[in-house]
C-alpha cells in the first residue's frame, strides 16, 4: 500500500528538494505517510491514484516551473482533480513584497495551472534560496544583478536561505487537516 500523501517536486539547485523533504518529515511527524519523488523522470513517477492527497512543489526559474513537474501534472491532471492537492511555488520574488512582482508571480502560477489543466485545492508560495556557490559564473552574475534590484544579498562567497521553515510546517499541518488525511485520534477509554 502506498503512503497517504505523494509529494512530487522539481528542483534546479536542490532547495525545492530540501523543502519537499521537510514537508514529508512534517507529515510523518503528524502520523501521515509520505512518499517524496523528484519529477525529473516524470514518466516513472507514481500516479496520484494510489494516494489520498498530493503536494506538488516546484521552483520558478526564468518565469516557469521545471519541465518534469509540468509534464507530470499535465499527464495526471484528471486524477489530481479527484483528490485534495496543493501546489507549493518556491521563488525569491516573494521577498521583494512589491505588488508588481506579486502580480508577475501570480501570472506564472496561473499560466502553469491553465497549461496543465489542474487547479489545486491549496496554493502556497515559499521563499527559496540563493545558492551562489552552486551557480556557474554566468548564473551568479545574473542573480547578483537581479537580487541587487531588490536590495538582496549579493555576497557570492556564500549561500543564503530565505525559507520560513515554521511556515512550511504550519502549511503542511493545515493541509493535512483540510485534506482529511490526518490520522484518526482514538478516544481515551
Amino acid at each position: 500500500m502506498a503512503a497517504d500523501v505523494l509529494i512530487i517536486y522539481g528542483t534546479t539547485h536542490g532547495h525545492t528538494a530540501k523543502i519537499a523533504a521537510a514537508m514529508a518529515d512534517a507529515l510523518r511527524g503528524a502520523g501521515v505517510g509520505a512518499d517524496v519523488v523528484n519529477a525529473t523522470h516524470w514518466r516513472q513517477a507514481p500516479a496520484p491514484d494510489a494516494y489520498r492527497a498530493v503536494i506538488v512543489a516546484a521552483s520558478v526559474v526564468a518565469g516557469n516551473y521545471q519541465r518534469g513537474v509540468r509534464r507530470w501534472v499535465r499527464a495526471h491532471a484528471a486524477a489530481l482533480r479527484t483528490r485534495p492537492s496543493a501546489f507549493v511555488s518556491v521563488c525569491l520574488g516573494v521577498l521583494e513584497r512589491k505588488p508588481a512582482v506579486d502580480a508577475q508571480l501570480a501570472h506564472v502560477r496561473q499560466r502553469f495551472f491553465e497549461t496543465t489543466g489542474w487547479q489545486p485545492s491549496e496554493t502556497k508560495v515559499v521563499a527559496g534560496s540563493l545558492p551562489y556557490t552552486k551557480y556557474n559564473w554566468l548564473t551568479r552574475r545574473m542573480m547578483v544583478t537581479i537580487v541587487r534590484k531588490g536590495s538582496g544579498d549579493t555576497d557570492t562567497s556564500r549561500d543564503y536561505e530565505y525559507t520560513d521553515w515554521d511556515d512550511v510546517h504550519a502549511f503542511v499541518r493545515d493541509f493535512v487537516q483540510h485534506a482529511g488525511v490526518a490520522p484518526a485520534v482514538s478516544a481515551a477509554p
Side-chain angles (χ1 to χ4, degrees):
M1 181 170 146
D4 297 309
V5 178
L6 171 63
I7 300 173
I8 187 154
Y9 69 91
T11 192
T12 302
H13 297 286
H15 193 69
T16 305
K18 186 175 180 180
I19 291 171
M23 290 190 295
D25 289 344
L27 286 166
R28 293 177 189 127
V32 177
D35 288 340
V36 181
V37 178
N38 188 330
T40 299
H41 303 290
W42 66 275
R43 291 179 197 265
Q44 289 80 38
D49 306 77
Y51 297 89
R52 294 172 59 199
V54 177
I55 299 174
V56 177
S59 56
V60 177
V61 178
N64 217 332
Y65 298 104
Q66 285 79 14
R67 182 183 314 176
V69 170
R70 294 190 318 260
R71 289 180 173 174
W72 185 89
V73 169
R74 191 176 304 119
H76 298 288
L80 286 169
R81 289 190 293 267
T82 66
R83 62 198 17 83
S85 61
F87 180 62
V88 176
S89 176
V90 181
C91 60
L92 289 173
V94 297
L95 297 172
E96 291 189 44
R97 293 180 173 83
K98 293 179 181 175
V101 174
D102 292 344
Q104 183 181 16
L105 294 173
H107 176 72
V108 170
R109 286 190 307 276
Q110 191 55 41
R111 188 178 67 232
F112 171 73
F113 299 145
E114 289 171 2
T115 60
T116 60
W118 172 54
Q119 184 63 51
S121 314
E122 299 183 37
T123 301
K124 177 70 176 167
V125 178
V126 175
S129 68
L130 276 172
Y132 284 123
T133 62
K134 293 181 182 177
Y135 294 152
N136 63 35
W137 179 85
L138 181 59
T139 302
R140 192 170 23 255
R141 298 270 304 178
M142 250 178 14
M143 291 307 295
V144 165
T145 302
I146 293 167
V147 171
R148 188 173 283 134
K149 291 178 186 176
S151 300
D153 296 302
T154 58
D155 176 359
T156 61
S157 67
R158 59 172 291 225
D159 297 337
Y160 299 89
E161 190 174 278
Y162 304 104
T163 305
D164 180 340
W165 296 106
D166 291 336
D167 188 48
V168 170
H169 293 138
F171 166 75
V172 170
R173 284 190 303 272
D174 290 346
F175 178 70
V176 163
Q177 292 301 317
H178 298 153
V181 295
V185 178
S186 57

